[in-house]
Amino acid sequence: MKITVEAARLDHLPPILDDIRPEDYREWYAGTGNADIQSVLQPVFAEGRYARAAVGEDSKALVMWGVDELSESAGSVWMFATSTAERHAIAIHRHLKPQLQDILSRWAYLEAWADSRNTKHHLWLEWLGFQYEREEFLEPLGLPFKLYTLRRP
């Protein structure tokens, strides 16, 4: 499958949300307490923050990710994928690695919190080079999340 990466747009969301991985949706809800992903992400598009989408041949977004700036040199990475993306994981991974280098050129330190139940998310983060640090119970629901970090070489 041919994959392209582009700046994420609000119109990418409906197809993703129609096919979002159930584990990613549960993780989103556990981390935000808000089931409406589109309303939570609205400021990302309005403020022009860093967000990208991997798009398939049918012009539908398969994966969306972004970085929330923690400081001038640190960012918190978020990501969610569709069930369709799972079937094309290797092709998508080939595009995510270079994207990660772009992110690391902007932020020297990255962190990613993943729901402890979302084991595929853990594998993706580790494949991208993130290191597991620790597990904490996070608000708003008090569920366990794993912290992964990556530093610019």
Side-chain angles (χ1 to χ4, degrees):
M1 170 181 266
K2 184 177 189 256
I3 307 287
T4 58
V5 174
E6 53 192 63
R9 302 184 311 268
L10 193 55
D11 65 305
H12 284 132
L13 280 175
I16 286 181
L17 297 178
D18 285 344
D19 188 29
I20 192 167
R21 290 180 62 242
E23 299 87 349
D24 286 2
Y25 183 77
R26 283 191 297 271
E27 179 175 284
W28 184 274
Y29 183 73
T32 65
N34 189 331
D36 186 355
I37 293 174
Q38 191 160 334
S39 72
V40 173
L41 285 180
Q42 191 76 33
V44 170
F45 303 110
E47 297 167 10
R49 297 189 332 227
Y50 185 93
R52 299 290 182 267
V55 178
E57 296 165 337
D58 59 1
S59 299
K60 289 184 180 176
L62 300 166
V63 180
M64 188 176 286
W65 66 92
V67 180
D68 293 328
E69 191 166 273
L70 300 173
S71 71
E72 190 173 302
S73 63
S76 179
V77 178
W78 54 266
M79 178 182 77
F80 52 90
T82 61
S83 295
T84 303
E86 284 188 281
R87 295 190 299 272
H88 303 286
I90 292 172
I92 292 169
H93 285 171
R94 287 186 188 125
H95 291 280
L96 288 178
K97 280 261 190 184
Q99 292 297 311
L100 188 57
Q101 295 314 307
D102 179 47
I103 292 170
L104 285 169
S105 73
R106 299 171 189 224
W107 295 281
Y109 168 83
L110 299 173
E111 66 178 36
W113 290 92
D115 186 317
S116 295
R117 303 167 294 180
N118 194 349
T119 56
K120 279 198 178 162
H121 198 164
H122 307 157
L123 292 173
W124 279 34
L125 288 166
E126 291 167 6
W127 185 86
L128 289 168
F130 282 78
Q131 300 295 313
Y132 171 74
E133 296 288 334
R134 67 183 181 276
E135 185 175 68
E136 290 185 21
F137 293 86
L138 299 183
E139 296 299 324
L141 303 179
L143 294 171
F145 275 71
K146 292 185 176 191
L147 172 62
Y148 289 84
T149 61
L150 182 64
R151 287 175 170 66
R152 181 187 304 151

